[in-house]
Amino acid sequence: MSIPVIVQYKIKVQIDKAWKALTEKHEMKSWYFDIPDFELEVGKVFNFYEPGDEKKYHHQCEILQIIPNKKLKHSWAFPELSKGMTTVTWELNKQGEKTVITLIHDEIDNLKELGENFSRESFAQGWNGIIGQSLKPYLEK
C-alpha cells in the first residue's frame, strides 16, 4: 500500500477565494501552472508542463471529483514516461477566519520506476514549495 504525501497549510483567506485559486485557470496561472485546457467538470482531461521553455515533463490529469468549496480530486500522470497514475486531492476546510488547505498526493509508488525525481520526498518538497511559497502568498496578498 502506498503512503500518500500530505501537505497542509492554514491560510488567512476566505474559502471561496481559495476555491477560485484552485479552480479558475486565469488564477492558477498566477501561482501554479498555465493550464489552458482546464475545465472544472468531472471527466475533463487537462495538460500542462512545468514553467519555462524546457517542457521536460508533460503532466496529464483528469478531474475525478468536485465538491464546490470543499474538494477537488484529479488523476496525475506523465503519459510519455510511465503508465503509472497517481491521484491528487485538494481539500478545503474553514477554520475561523482562515482556510485549511490539505493536499493529498496518493499512489506515488505507481511512478517509482521513474526514479528519484518522482519519489515521495521529491513530491513532498515540490508540493510544499507550490503551496507554501506560491499559493499562500498569492492568497494572502
Side-chain angles (χ1 to χ4, degrees):
M1 185 170 154
S2 182
I3 299 168
V5 168
I6 300 173
V7 176
Q8 188 172 73
Y9 281 83
K10 200 180 289 185
I11 301 176
K12 190 171 177 149
V13 67
Q14 293 298 313
I15 207 162
D16 61 326
K17 188 174 177 189
W19 180 254
K20 284 181 181 179
L22 295 177
T23 61
E24 293 185 8
K25 60 185 167 188
H26 70 277
E27 295 234 9
M28 288 188 279
K29 188 176 182 178
S30 298
W31 68 271
Y32 191 41
F33 295 102
D34 183 13
I35 311 175
D37 62 348
F38 182 87
E39 289 183 56
L40 186 61
E41 185 179 322
V42 172
K44 291 290 186 180
V45 173
F46 60 95
N47 300 272
F48 62 94
Y49 291 88
E50 70 287 347
D53 295 329
E54 196 174 337
K55 299 209 181 302
K56 189 174 180 183
Y57 299 120
H58 170 214
H59 301 69
Q60 188 170 69
C61 309
E62 179 182 346
I63 297 178
L64 304 172
Q65 183 181 22
I66 302 165
I67 303 172
N69 293 321
K70 280 279 195 207
K71 182 192 262 188
L72 173 64
K73 182 176 183 176
H74 59 79
S75 63
W76 181 276
F78 303 92
E80 284 86 7
L81 302 176
S82 171
K83 291 183 176 166
M85 188 167 300
T86 65
T87 58
V88 172
T89 305
W90 297 86
E91 295 179 347
L92 304 177
N93 290 292
K94 185 173 173 50
Q95 195 171 80
E97 297 201 7
K98 296 184 177 181
T99 297
V100 177
I101 296 179
T102 305
L103 178 127
I104 304 158
H105 194 161
D106 207 359
E107 302 166 65
I108 292 170
D109 289 348
N110 291 346
L111 301 174
K112 66 183 171 199
E113 84 274 9
L114 297 178
E116 191 61 32
N117 286 342
F118 300 87
S119 67
R120 286 187 76 258
E121 295 74 21
S122 181
F123 279 115
Q125 183 179 3
W127 287 120
N128 271 294
I130 287 169
I131 298 170
Q133 297 165 21
S134 191
L135 178 59
K136 188 175 191 309
Y138 173 75
L139 287 171
E140 291 182 338
K141 67 180 177 195

